[in-house]
Amino acid sequence: MSPSESEGAPRFAVVGNPENRRVALFTAAVRAAGLPAPRVVPWTEVLRAGGAEFAPGETVRLDSPGENAEADLLLRGVDDPTRVEGSARWYTRFLTAVGGLRGGVRLDDPADLAVLFDKRRCHAVLEAAGVPVPSSPTSGPAAAAVGGWDDVRRLMREHRMPRLFVKLAHGSSASGVLAVESGGRGRVRATTSVERAEDGRLYNSLRIRRYEDERDIAAVVDTLAPDGLHMERWVPKASQHGRAADLRVLVVAGRATHAVVRTSTAPLTNLHLGGARGDLDAARRAVEAAGGRWSDVLGVCERAAACFPRTLCVGVDLLPAVGWRRFAVGEVNAFGDLLPRLTGLPGSGAEGLDTY
């Protein structure tokens, strides 16, 4: 897969899934800038070959390998893309493939990606940099491993966390995330998009469901645990029109350029799980009414992105606490720029431009 080094070689290359909308949007952006279309290097070829080569003059963008059944099989080793299991294998194989990319000018740093795709490591890096994050007993490499539901229950007691999120350490798009609440008399409830089949296999669903039998919750967590788990205190979120709200903020080259409010009646605000876009102007007004400055809110996201200085673009999930006075970073996403029909923030330098 050596690129041509002739005079007509493209300036941009993208490692992605050729049929995917992410690649189409990036290609359109490059062409709109008056440049030749980028060379597309399929993830399936990279994964089979163990890498790819790029010419010295090529600027190389990595895009998500998701939404492609063949790439998913090569990464996770499961025959159904809707299955939840296999994220630890995905992480190892993804980093191996990234490590096999040679040449070119990279927009995504392999060392940064290794942290961004491990929620435990990412949380520790953010916390060490003074970025506000929810408290976590699983942050960093020295934290105790979570072997299953018994460990989750123990850590909930030891850290006085009656409400928390349990996440796959290497998951994305809310896959394997449980919002867990415990109450009196040992009652416990988990809200999640994970569907457990009769044979015990776990599947991603577009429908949010609640498990209220602790045996069912334990079975889900015990199945997820071999892939690695991360736990975070549940931050009660601010709301818009009675719906929980958070923000996805895109930071490019150190500057917050785009932002969207996500709202939901459920703890998971992901748009593909029934969340809806909220009112960004209303969020800004709420911050100012609470005595804050919108620039400081965006500044939290820029500080989070600064922890990954060799990666051009990240999407920061920002959690506003009730009252819009305090904020914490929930996650930082390496492939967090898929925000269709969203144009740049005023004063960002990206006014009128989409995220690509």
Side-chain angles (χ1 to χ4, degrees):
M1 293 195 298
S2 298
S4 168
E5 298 193 28
S6 66
E7 185 177 347
R11 290 184 55 196
F12 281 90
V14 55
V15 181
N17 297 323
E19 77 288 352
N20 193 270
R21 54 182 173 165
R22 291 175 179 267
V23 170
L25 288 166
F26 180 65
T27 298
V30 172
R31 283 177 166 166
L35 300 171
R39 182 169 70 96
V40 179
V41 181
W43 270 115
T44 51
E45 293 184 13
V46 171
L47 291 164
R48 288 199 194 92
E53 294 182 4
F54 299 91
E58 282 187 300
T59 298
V60 183
R61 169 187 169 91
L62 303 188
D63 225 324
S64 171
E67 300 180 350
N68 180 289
E70 188 177 357
D72 188 69
L73 177 61
L74 291 168
L75 284 164
R76 291 197 298 136
V78 294
D79 56 3
D80 186 337
T82 65
R83 288 275 300 280
V84 178
E85 301 93 330
S87 58
R89 188 181 299 116
W90 184 102
Y91 178 75
T92 299
R93 292 179 177 178
F94 173 75
L95 293 183
T96 299
V98 169
L101 302 177
R102 301 172 295 278
V105 179
R106 297 283 294 279
L107 300 181
D108 313 84
D109 179 71
D112 284 351
L113 293 175
V115 176
L116 287 165
F117 283 105
D118 187 329
K119 299 184 195 306
R120 300 162 300 191
R121 294 179 63 188
C122 187
H123 185 282
V125 166
L126 295 171
E127 189 171 37
V131 176
V133 289
S135 62
S136 169
T138 57
S139 178
V146 180
W149 178 245
D150 288 344
D151 287 339
V152 171
R153 271 299 216 178
R154 174 179 55 81
L155 291 168
M156 289 172 67
R157 292 191 300 269
E158 292 177 356
H159 294 267
R160 298 183 179 181
M161 298 173 66
R163 303 174 81 237
L164 75 157
F165 281 87
V166 179
K167 304 178 179 181
L168 282 170
H170 310 297
S172 61
S173 302
S175 177
V177 174
L178 292 86
V180 178
E181 306 168 82
S182 60
R185 299 181 181 178
R187 291 176 299 177
V188 63
R189 178 173 67 184
T191 304
T192 181
S193 62
V194 175
E195 179 181 357
R196 183 171 181 266
E198 291 184 2
D199 62 3
R201 295 184 179 188
L202 305 182
Y203 294 86
N204 288 304
S205 170
L206 295 179
R207 183 173 70 85
I208 299 292
R209 66 197 67 231
R210 289 184 173 88
Y211 294 100
E212 298 189 347
D213 187 323
E214 186 165 359
R215 292 170 297 182
D216 293 333
I217 299 170
V220 171
V221 172
D222 288 347
T223 303
L224 294 173
D227 280 317
L229 295 177
H230 178 57
M231 298 168 56
E232 290 180 350
R233 189 177 298 277
W234 183 335
V235 176
K237 293 179 184 177
S239 64
Q240 280 192 354
H241 307 295
R243 297 165 62 92
D246 60 22
L247 296 95
R248 166 65 62 85
V249 179
L250 188 67
V251 181
V252 181
R255 189 168 189 178
T257 59
H258 298 73
V260 62
V261 177
R262 306 179 302 184
T263 71
S264 178
T265 57
L268 308 178
T269 59
N270 300 68
L271 300 179
H272 72 284
L273 296 178
R277 290 192 179 188
D279 188 333
L280 188 63
D281 288 335
R284 184 172 60 248
R285 290 193 299 269
V287 169
E288 293 169 349
R293 297 188 302 178
W294 183 245
S295 60
D296 291 340
V297 174
L298 298 180
V300 173
C301 301
E302 292 171 349
R303 286 163 53 200
C307 295
F308 308 97
R310 295 174 300 277
T311 294
L312 177 69
C313 170
V314 294
V316 179
D317 289 345
L318 191 66
L319 315 177
V322 173
W324 295 94
R325 290 183 176 85
R326 294 181 295 107
F327 295 82
V329 171
E331 296 185 12
V332 183
N333 304 272
F335 301 137
D337 54 359
L338 182 61
L339 300 169
R341 302 178 303 281
L342 189 69
T343 54
L345 295 166
S348 68
E351 298 91 337
L353 300 176
D354 66 22
T355 56
Y356 287 84

